[in-house]
Amino acid sequence: MDFDLSEEQRLLKDSVERLMLESYGFDERGKYRSEHMGFSEAMWARYAELGLLALPFSEEYGGFGGGAVEAMIVMEAFGKALILEPYFATVVLAGGILRHGASEAQKTELIPAIAAGRMKLAFAYAEPQSRYDLFDIETQARKDGDGWILNGTKGLVLHGAVADKIIVSVRTAGRSRDKDGIALFLVDGNVPGLVRRGYSTQDGLWAAEMTLNNVRVKADNVIGNPADAYPVIARVADEAIAALCAEAIGCFAAMQTITLDYLKTRKQFGATLGSFQVLQHRAVDMFIELEQSCSMAMYATMMARENGTMERERAISAAKAQIGESARLIGTQSIQLHGGVGMTMEYRIGHYFKHITMIDTLFGDADYHLHRLAVLGSIIRENA
Amino acid sequence: MDLGFTEDELAFRDEVRAFFRAAVPADIREKLLAGAHPSKDDMVRWTRILAAKGWGVPHWPAEYGGTGWSPVKQYIYVEEMSQTPAPAPLPFGVNMVGPVIYTFGNEDQKKRFLPRILTLEDWWCQGFSEPGAGSDLASVKTRAVRDGDHYIVNGQKTWTTLAQFADWIFCLVRTDPAAKKQQGISFLLIDMRSCGITVRPIQTLDGGYEVNEVFFDDVRVPVENRVGEENRGWDYAKFLLGNERFNIAGVGISKERICRIMDLASRVRFGGERLIDQADFRKKVAAVEVRLKALEITQLRVLANESKRQKGTQDPASSILKIKGAEIQQATSELLMNVVGPYALPYQSEEDFERRNEPPIGPDWAATIAPAYFNMRKVSIYGGSDEIQKNIIAKVVLGL
């Protein structure tokens, strides 16, 4: 048992945190958001310089071979700063699909471009009817010569409108909720027949709805087995959840700090708010949730790369359920403890509240994951 | 970063687990599985089995009988013991007064008391709380007045757990009423057979007799039974209260309860199917499991930090363990109420249950469940209530 970071991991943590401290204050974030893409291209280039975009990929493709702990370190720091750039979409989601599913040729072509900051990707996994079931896919792929033709609708594609390429989950066989007969295709953002409708999300990030109308894809743009890609999707989703848990605890920690600062400085009735016991105890409730969430984010990080599917899924569901519950408590209490100023867009705390609330809706909310855990068995009783 | 135990720790866990499974007398294990309390004789038998193995007081220094295990191994030991389940050793001796005696006591006291704690020849109880000193413990009023080489003790203690079995009581008494309230307190060891001591049992919500009032009426206590210096008792009490680290969260206890809940829920049928197969019930269990898993890892994080902390200082984060541990223990007792359903209703005391010749009313596992639910309310009250723990976190950790 060891909760410490290695020397290299500490250096990584220091350098990401320093970058965030220097360049990602609340005011700067506001400016980045009003840029053309809705985030900062300059920051994206900085991430590339620091090697963050290459982090999880293996050395042979120009990556750094970073594991789950490195992903946790970066996502936690990004959560604290509430970054806008498509790191999660490009590196965690699409990057995960490439790592687990792509061919040598595909990796050799794409990973160096991602690492250098030249290419942004998105992963279109959801559809309007699918809610949190990643296998619920109606978008169809039909064989056409040695290529494929895709038709259907994908929804809630994170950073889908700005992505250079999009990985799309599609059905090649079976019925709409079968786990078999699912394929992954790599599609160019400007391919004929693809219509992207971009929009802002509640928390100030970006997503898109997409329709695919007879989109032609060449055979070499199939990722993995075109009849059996679901295991790759499930695996990447579990890694993505671990990353979201890390991002969330970054947010929680920032919210705790901001709220404590406020309690220590704001005065009413001639005393600081922090001197009132009822408010102290609420701050303690937030702190307890933060610590419990940190524990579960670590657990998710350790288990995300487990090969035993059942054990991994149980752990990941438990972590996401904890994070979702904590998000509700920490989010609502931090607003309440701020009073009126917590309600305003010009103050930081509410932006965090909105982001952690949206994290709960990604890849299954607390309720969904409690249900999944209940179906999968027990994380407490051995051999259950 | 690695949340798993090392090879060595896993081997240790297997060894401890195998020992507990073989060594706990079957009748005692049955009692605990059923949620009943071990008797005095059960406690003595079990403590002597542990002592014979050399595992009675793992956390004590080796010279007094400790094993020299790392904090992680001590934690594994406690966890495995609760999950077996086996009775936890009586805390008043091994976790409370024992460490005070070997840390602050003189050589005579160490020789006289420590070996008898190990084998439970002396049953200790804790004389801290008073009618006017609950959460505000430093306002104890029980007086000890010096009379030659004795103190004359007058006053009253309350919530004294298992005092009905006790040979000795360790007490906070006021020796200097003029001093500031924390500064006039001394730590006395008092023989329960002394003249002038009266024990009155208090019946608690579960119908059982766990706690007592203890009255002191001109009780003569030899000065040699004072631990450490006069008027420094508050320091020793703080040390004692900060010493509970491996069991404060009760992770093993709650794990054992989760297993029990699942076993019973697979026996109970409701609406044509087993309770354990019902989605909303499983989801309720899963919600508790999530909190318990988080608590387990938080506990391990606190333990891992321990080696970096100054010896004898407590991680204020352990207040989290107390609060969450209590919440989860209470939640498991609520889930058991869900499992038992309508047969929570009949009251059958543990004594009735043991003596009875006729079959029990309802399922044979039902009788202890409602009492345990009522009884579990205590865990968020004793040992520093939730609110006191929150005050500690607010002040020490959050700086409010």
Side-chain angles (χ1 to χ4, degrees), chain A residues 1-2 281 285 291 295 378, chain B residues 2 4 289 298 301 390-391:
Chain A
M1 207 178 57
D2 176 15
H281 285 195
D285 291 340
E291 290 302 320
S295 293
S378 173
Chain B
D2 181 5
E289 287 198 11
T298 306
R301 288 166 58 208
K390 287 184 181 183
N391 288 350

Side-chain angles (χ1 to χ4, degrees), chain A residues 324-359:
Chain A
E325 290 295 331
S326 297
R328 198 161 310 145
L329 184 131
I330 293 173
T332 54
Q333 287 304 319
S334 64
I335 300 295
Q336 181 70 23
L337 286 169
H338 276 85
V341 72
M343 292 297 301
T344 66
M345 287 293 283
E346 58 197 71
Y347 197 78
R348 288 181 294 171
I349 197 74
H351 294 261
Y352 285 99
F353 173 45
K354 295 209 283 184
H355 188 52
I356 61 172
T357 305
M358 292 306 116
I359 285 178

Side-chain angles (χ1 to χ4, degrees), chain A residues 71 83 148 192 195 222 226 234 268 318 367 377:
Chain A
I83 71 154
W148 298 79
V195 179
V222 176
Q268 287 288 274
D367 204 50

Side-chain angles (χ1 to χ4, degrees), chain B residues 149-167:
Chain B
D149 52 5
H150 282 77
Y151 288 104
I152 312 291
V153 177
N154 278 289
Q156 181 193 344
K157 295 291 175 182
T158 192
W159 312 130
T160 316
T161 301
L162 302 179
Q164 69 266 40
F165 302 142
D167 305 296

